[in-house]
Amino acid sequence: MTPFEMNNQTDVTEFIFLGFSNHPKLQGLFFLVFLIIYLTTLLGNMLIITATKISLALHTPMYYFLSNLSFLDVCYTSTTIPVMLVNFFHRKKTISYEGCLSQIFFLVTCTGTECVLLAAMAYDRYVAICHPLQYPVLMSVKVCVFLVTGSWLCGLVNSVIHTVLAATLTLCGPNQISHFLCDIPLLLELSCSDTSLNESVLHVASATIGLSPCLFTGVSYILIISAILRIPSAQGRNKAFSTCVSHLTVVVIFYGMANFNYDKPREGYSLDIDILVSVLFCVVTPMLNPIIYSLRNKEVKGALRKLAGGYVIPGNISV
């Protein structure tokens, strides 16, 4: 940036979201649709959390991870959708500079934590299928707490680094974000200072927090499927695979949507398509997770039926 540009820069105090701006007459419909999605997400994930707490049948490592995944999804959607819902009533859809950084912090924390947590859940399924006799030792309470805590720490440390670096960017306009949320790549596009460090850290984080857990999960399921195919009876194979199918479905949807969202081409991509892809990843995926686990899992369905009927199983809550 030249001295002339530095002398004429304007501090950015707020950002204007351009997402959904191409359809001004549909703002009311958008509000209704996203409100229903948000309430469904909250209800579904809170039911999963409550069911795993009160049902003794769900006091296992797999459902301990699932309750943490549901809590993540609640946090994730609550970071973006309420702001978006409020902005549907405003002609100019804005967010403050501090609000934008806060949104980035929580989004990156939740996304990074979910990447690592899904890998931990894959490890749980690997131990259960490939080393069932050692499962109580390899997936003890301490191990489960360590894996969940480690997942949150990975997401938190990654987020702190990105947020601090984003706060050091010089923003001198325009202050328009072609989206409905704040994200690091979008902020880098608005910067008039050197972003090489931010981009380098972003690439490193993508490899460590994004790609590495994805590869670990993929390898885990290759070993899991290989072990399942060696089971002699068809009934045994079906029973073993049924314990993995819900998590595998969630993994495919999450990483598939993440790939579309963050690896889309820079050119020839319309705003509407960009928004649609991000909605699928940031809004629809958290809503689908509890639905997938409820439909494909007999234990969860049984616990939810008891919960709906007002039947609570007494006892201490544990992993």
Side-chain angles (χ1 to χ4, degrees):
M1 185 169 58
T2 65
F4 176 79
E5 291 172 322
M6 292 185 66
N7 290 333
N8 286 277
Q9 74 180 53
T10 302
D11 292 333
V12 174
T13 58
E14 68 174 13
F15 298 96
I16 300 174
F17 290 133
L18 301 182
F20 305 106
S21 60
N22 291 345
H23 309 281
K25 296 182 179 180
L26 297 178
Q27 300 298 299
L29 177 61
F30 287 149
F31 172 82
L32 181 61
V33 170
F34 284 106
L35 178 61
I36 293 174
I37 291 176
Y38 182 52
L39 294 178
T40 302
T41 302
L42 291 182
L43 176 63
N45 284 290
M46 291 306 297
L47 283 175
I48 291 290
I49 294 172
T50 304
T52 56
K53 293 296 182 183
I54 68 172
S55 176
L56 291 176
L58 302 184
H59 288 185
T60 63
M62 181 171 68
Y63 299 109
Y64 174 65
F65 292 133
L66 176 59
S67 64
N68 277 273
L69 179 64
S70 293
F71 179 71
L72 263 175
D73 287 335
V74 170
C75 295
Y76 192 75
T77 53
S78 297
T79 302
T80 56
I81 298 184
V83 176
M84 181 170 56
L85 291 175
V86 171
N87 275 331
F88 280 131
F89 291 100
H90 299 155
R91 185 181 61 84
K92 189 169 74 169
K93 310 177 191 309
T94 63
I95 187 172
S96 67
Y97 175 79
E98 293 77 12
C100 186
L101 287 181
S102 299
Q103 196 172 73
I104 287 176
F105 172 78
F106 288 108
L107 277 176
V108 176
T109 298
C110 292
T111 304
T113 302
E114 186 157 345
C115 285
V116 182
L117 183 62
L118 288 175
M121 296 173 74
Y123 173 72
D124 169 70
R125 292 299 83 206
Y126 163 76
V127 175
I129 300 299
C130 300
H131 303 284
L133 298 179
Q134 297 176 283
Y135 186 79
V137 176
L138 295 178
M139 295 304 299
S140 64
V141 173
K142 289 184 178 179
V143 172
C144 293
V145 172
F146 173 79
L147 290 174
V148 169
T149 303
S151 300
W152 278 99
L153 284 177
C154 287
L156 184 61
V157 171
N158 178 55
S159 181
V160 168
I161 294 173
H162 284 302
T163 306
V164 170
L165 289 175
T168 63
L169 293 173
T170 301
L171 305 173
C172 37
N175 64 335
Q176 296 179 335
I177 297 178
S178 299
H179 221 292
F180 61 85
L181 52 79
C182 288
D183 203 357
I184 297 168
L186 300 171
L187 214 59
L188 294 181
E189 293 178 1
L190 302 181
S191 175
C192 50
S193 59
D194 183 20
T195 61
S196 56
L197 178 59
N198 303 70
E199 292 173 357
S200 298
V201 173
L202 193 60
H203 291 315
V204 172
S206 298
T208 55
I209 302 296
L211 183 59
S212 295
C214 181
L215 292 177
F216 178 87
T217 303
V219 171
S220 297
Y221 270 102
I222 291 175
L223 297 175
I224 289 171
I225 294 173
S226 176
I228 291 176
L229 293 177
R230 291 197 297 268
I231 298 176
S233 68
Q235 183 179 2
R237 289 194 297 270
N238 291 335
K239 183 178 180 180
F241 187 72
S242 66
T243 65
C244 306
V245 66
S246 296
H247 176 253
L248 183 59
T249 304
V250 169
V251 165
V252 170
I253 292 176
F254 177 81
Y255 283 112
M257 290 296 101
N259 182 66
F260 278 115
N261 189 53
Y262 289 107
D263 295 331
K264 53 184 175 284
R266 293 178 178 270
E267 303 296 335
Y269 220 58
S270 70
L271 176 60
D272 286 343
I273 297 298
D274 190 12
I275 295 300
L276 175 61
V277 171
S278 295
V279 164
L280 291 175
F281 176 65
C282 302
V283 179
V284 177
T285 299
M287 180 187 67
L288 292 179
N289 289 348
I291 296 175
I292 292 170
Y293 273 97
S294 299
L295 292 177
R296 302 292 305 181
N297 194 291
K298 294 180 180 179
E299 289 83 0
V300 173
K301 286 193 290 186
L304 290 177
R305 279 196 295 267
K306 292 177 182 178
L307 182 62
Y311 177 70
V312 179
I313 301 177
N316 295 328
I317 296 174
S318 62
V319 174

Coordinates of all heavy atoms in Angstrom, one line a residue, residues 129-130 218-231 237 241 244 248:
I129 N -14.9 -52.2 16.2 CA -15.1 -53.2 15.2 C -13.8 -54.1 15.1 O -13.9 -55.3 15.0 CB -15.4 -52.6 13.8 CG1 -16.7 -51.8 13.9 CG2 -15.4 -53.6 12.8 CD1 -17.9 -52.6 14.2
C130 N -12.7 -53.4 15.1 CA -11.4 -54.1 14.9 C -10.7 -54.7 16.2 O -10.0 -55.6 16.1 CB -10.4 -53.2 14.2 SG -11.0 -52.6 12.6
G218 N -10.8 -41.5 6.8 CA -10.9 -42.4 5.7 C -10.1 -43.7 5.9 O -10.6 -44.8 5.5
V219 N -8.9 -43.6 6.4 CA -8.1 -44.8 6.7 C -8.8 -45.7 7.7 O -8.9 -46.9 7.6 CB -6.7 -44.4 7.2 CG1 -6.0 -45.7 7.6 CG2 -5.9 -43.7 6.1
S220 N -9.4 -45.0 8.7 CA -10.1 -45.8 9.8 C -11.3 -46.6 9.2 O -11.5 -47.8 9.5 CB -10.7 -44.9 10.8 OG -9.7 -44.2 11.5
Y221 N -12.0 -46.0 8.2 CA -13.1 -46.7 7.6 C -12.7 -47.8 6.6 O -13.4 -48.7 6.4 CB -14.1 -45.7 7.0 CG -15.2 -45.3 8.1 CD1 -15.1 -44.1 8.7 CD2 -16.2 -46.2 8.4 CE1 -16.0 -43.7 9.7 CE2 -17.1 -45.8 9.4 CZ -17.0 -44.6 10.0 OH -18.0 -44.3 11.0
I222 N -11.6 -47.6 6.0 CA -11.0 -48.6 5.2 C -10.7 -49.9 6.0 O -11.1 -51.0 5.6 CB -9.7 -48.2 4.4 CG1 -10.1 -47.1 3.4 CG2 -9.0 -49.3 3.8 CD1 -8.9 -46.5 2.7
L223 N -10.1 -49.7 7.2 CA -9.8 -50.8 8.1 C -11.1 -51.4 8.6 O -11.2 -52.6 8.8 CB -8.9 -50.3 9.2 CG -7.5 -49.8 8.8 CD1 -6.8 -49.2 10.0 CD2 -6.7 -50.9 8.1
I224 N -12.1 -50.5 9.0 CA -13.4 -51.0 9.5 C -14.1 -51.9 8.5 O -14.5 -53.0 8.8 CB -14.2 -49.8 9.9 CG1 -13.7 -49.1 11.2 CG2 -15.7 -50.3 10.2 CD1 -14.3 -47.8 11.5
I225 N -14.2 -51.4 7.2 CA -14.9 -52.1 6.2 C -14.2 -53.5 5.9 O -14.8 -54.5 5.7 CB -15.0 -51.3 4.9 CG1 -16.0 -50.1 5.2 CG2 -15.6 -52.1 3.8 CD1 -16.0 -49.1 4.1
S226 N -12.8 -53.4 5.9 CA -12.1 -54.6 5.7 C -12.3 -55.7 6.8 O -12.5 -56.8 6.5 CB -10.6 -54.3 5.7 OG -9.8 -55.4 5.5
A227 N -12.4 -55.2 8.0 CA -12.7 -56.1 9.1 C -14.2 -56.6 9.1 O -14.4 -57.8 9.3 CB -12.5 -55.4 10.5
I228 N -15.1 -55.8 8.7 CA -16.5 -56.2 8.5 C -16.7 -57.3 7.5 O -17.4 -58.3 7.6 CB -17.4 -55.0 8.3 CG1 -17.5 -54.1 9.5 CG2 -18.8 -55.5 7.8 CD1 -18.3 -52.8 9.3
L229 N -16.0 -57.1 6.3 CA -16.1 -58.1 5.2 C -15.5 -59.5 5.6 O -15.8 -60.5 5.0 CB -15.3 -57.6 4.0 CG -15.9 -56.3 3.4 CD1 -15.1 -55.8 2.2 CD2 -17.4 -56.6 2.9
R230 N -14.6 -59.5 6.7 CA -14.1 -60.8 7.1 C -15.0 -61.5 8.1 O -14.7 -62.7 8.4 CB -12.7 -60.6 7.8 CG -11.6 -60.1 6.8 CD -10.3 -60.3 7.4 NE -10.1 -59.5 8.6 CZ -9.6 -58.2 8.5 NH1 -9.2 -57.7 7.4 NH2 -9.4 -57.6 9.7
I231 N -16.1 -60.9 8.5 CA -17.0 -61.5 9.4 C -17.8 -62.6 8.6 O -18.4 -62.3 7.5 CB -18.0 -60.5 10.0 CG1 -17.3 -59.5 10.8 CG2 -19.1 -61.2 10.8 CD1 -18.1 -58.4 11.4
R237 N -22.2 -59.2 9.8 CA -21.7 -58.1 9.0 C -22.7 -56.9 9.1 O -22.3 -55.7 9.2 CB -21.5 -58.5 7.6 CG -20.3 -59.4 7.4 CD -19.9 -59.5 5.9 NE -21.0 -60.2 5.1 CZ -21.1 -61.5 4.9 NH1 -20.2 -62.3 5.4 NH2 -22.1 -61.9 4.2
F241 N -21.9 -53.2 10.6 CA -22.0 -52.0 9.8 C -23.0 -51.1 10.3 O -22.8 -49.8 10.1 CB -22.2 -52.5 8.3 CG -22.2 -51.3 7.4 CD1 -20.9 -50.8 7.0 CD2 -23.3 -50.8 6.8 CE1 -20.9 -49.7 6.1 CE2 -23.2 -49.7 5.9 CZ -22.0 -49.2 5.6
C244 N -21.9 -48.2 12.4 CA -21.0 -47.2 11.8 C -21.8 -46.3 10.7 O -21.3 -45.3 10.4 CB -19.9 -47.9 11.0 SG -18.9 -49.0 12.1
L248 N -20.7 -42.6 9.4 CA -20.2 -42.5 8.1 C -21.0 -41.6 7.2 O -20.4 -40.8 6.4 CB -20.1 -43.9 7.5 CG -19.5 -44.0 6.1 CD1 -18.1 -43.5 6.1 CD2 -19.6 -45.5 5.6

